[in-house]
Amino acid sequence: MKKDLLKLLDLSSQDILTILDTADQLKAMKKAGIQHPFLAGKTLAMIFEKSSTRTRVSFETGMYQLGGNAIYLSDKDSQIGRNEPVEDTARVLSRFCDGIMIRTFAQEEVETLAKYASIPVINGLTDFCHPCQVLADLMTIREHKGKLAGLKLCYIGDGNNMANSLIVGGLKCGMTVSIACPDAYRPDPAVLDFAQQYPGMLQCTPDILAAAKDADVLYTDVWASMGQEGESSQRKLVFEGYQINDAVMAAAHPGAMVQHCLPAHRGEEITAAVFESHADEIFDEAENRLHAQKAVLYLLMK
């Protein structure tokens, strides 16, 4: 693997599969009660300019289970929140720690941090992509379906960081991907350009049922992500109907599984009935954030 995990676009298909295989092994060790302090004595600095439940708890717990330590830095706890240049923060943390995880807004900030850091940098989320979440998603799909290649993944909603990363991760793992979104909310042009390397493997349409047809996996996310709260009312109007419901499930392949990166707004992007009937799959996905990220930490920091 490369030194950092900044976006899935940087990884090869084999890199992704190596992470998933390692995650499976670490999960099996955890379930068997086998101690695995592979990162004993190592420290991860966690920079949070966007708050999160799952990202903080999974990374902090993951470092603990790997025998290391994690330091939480909110924008109030670090000089990066007081306008210290990112490149200076990168060089200082590189003298203290063994890795950096950052959850922020601009992808450029993550790329700059990695450029100036001499230790691995992990993208915990930006407005452009969410690689750690999609690694957990792919891990969960493979657990439930036994494979990735040849499956159809359908994402319904905003063409946001989740859609961007699902397209890249899905295509690199041999899946066909369909995105159901309004024309004004399509995925990032750079991601759509990337998808041209996989002719006929990506469909992007405002037609929800057409996108969901014969899908093996249905995926959705909230209509207004963190930082878009001011657009919430407008987005409810734009995305009305972009929902996983009984009609969408009927269009999908029989036995289709459902994924949601959480938190979920029942009654908006997914009905309460569909959510609860697929809760085991969704919370397996949430748990696998821990195992997939432990794999990334191990592979980058061992």
Side-chain angles (χ1 to χ4, degrees):
M1 273 183 58
K2 295 180 180 295
K3 178 176 81 76
D4 309 298
L5 175 59
L6 308 182
K7 54 188 181 296
L8 294 184
L9 283 167
D10 296 335
L11 301 186
S12 68
S13 298
Q14 187 55 54
D15 287 336
I16 295 173
L17 292 175
T18 296
I19 295 170
L20 299 184
D21 290 344
T22 304
D24 288 343
Q25 294 167 19
L26 290 171
K27 183 174 183 177
M29 295 176 76
K30 174 67 170 59
K31 298 296 184 184
I34 300 171
Q35 298 298 309
H36 43 282
F38 301 131
L39 298 183
K42 294 187 181 288
T43 299
L44 176 73
M46 306 189 305
I47 301 172
F48 282 84
E49 296 184 300
K50 280 188 177 184
S51 59
S52 169
T53 300
R54 278 155 292 277
T55 299
R56 178 179 179 180
V57 174
S58 56
F59 269 107
E60 199 159 327
T61 302
M63 278 301 294
Y64 173 78
Q65 291 180 2
L66 288 167
N69 182 53
I71 301 173
Y72 173 78
L73 299 169
S74 73
D75 56 359
K76 298 180 179 64
D77 300 317
S78 68
Q79 295 300 331
I80 202 170
R82 298 181 178 88
N83 297 318
E84 179 177 61
V86 174
E87 51 265 40
D88 291 357
T89 296
R91 288 180 284 201
V92 168
L93 290 178
S94 294
R95 304 292 182 105
F96 298 149
C97 302
D98 303 285
I100 303 170
M101 188 283 299
I102 181 168
R103 182 178 169 95
T104 188
F105 294 88
Q107 180 70 20
E108 181 182 3
E109 182 175 355
V110 178
E111 303 277 348
T112 301
L113 190 69
K115 178 179 178 181
Y116 286 91
S118 58
I119 57 178
V121 173
I122 299 168
N123 180 351
L125 173 140
T126 64
D127 290 342
F128 174 68
C129 63
H130 199 352
C132 291
Q133 176 65 58
V134 171
L135 290 170
D137 300 336
L138 295 171
M139 179 182 181
T140 310
I141 294 165
R142 193 168 73 163
E143 281 182 344
H144 281 261
K145 296 294 186 181
K147 63 177 183 176
L148 292 170
L151 297 180
K152 178 179 178 180
L153 167 67
C154 171
Y155 171 89
I156 297 171
D158 185 15
N160 58 13
N161 50 7
M162 283 308 312
N164 291 336
S165 292
L166 285 166
I167 291 170
V168 176
L171 293 180
K172 288 195 174 194
C173 289
M175 306 174 79
T176 57
V177 181
S178 61
I179 305 292
C181 64
D183 287 332
Y185 294 84
R186 288 163 61 87
D188 191 279
V191 172
L192 297 179
D193 286 346
F194 157 79
Q196 292 181 13
Q197 301 174 37
Y198 299 84
M201 298 287 281
L202 174 66
Q203 175 190 26
C204 195
T205 174
D207 189 329
I208 301 164
L209 294 181
K213 181 176 171 56
D214 297 327
D216 300 287
V217 185
L218 294 166
Y219 200 115
T220 192
D221 188 11
V222 294
W223 293 338
S225 298
M226 193 177 298
Q228 298 173 332
E229 290 83 0
E231 304 173 29
S232 182
S233 297
Q234 174 195 352
R235 283 173 168 267
K236 283 185 179 180
L237 295 174
V238 171
F239 289 102
E240 184 176 5
Y242 283 86
Q243 178 190 76
I244 299 182
N245 51 34
D246 289 344
V248 170
M249 295 302 303
H253 193 277
M257 64 184 293
V258 174
Q259 299 278 263
H260 194 306
C261 52
L262 302 176
H265 294 171
R266 294 165 176 80
E268 292 186 5
E269 73 276 3
I270 189 169
T271 63
V274 170
F275 185 96
E276 290 302 330
S277 64
H278 292 271
D280 287 347
E281 298 160 3
I282 292 169
F283 289 105
D284 283 347
E285 173 191 14
E287 177 191 339
N288 282 340
R289 285 290 302 276
L290 171 65
H291 307 299
Q293 288 162 189
K294 283 170 65 177
V296 171
L297 292 167
Y298 169 74
L299 291 167
L300 291 181
M301 294 172 61
K302 63 181 176 180

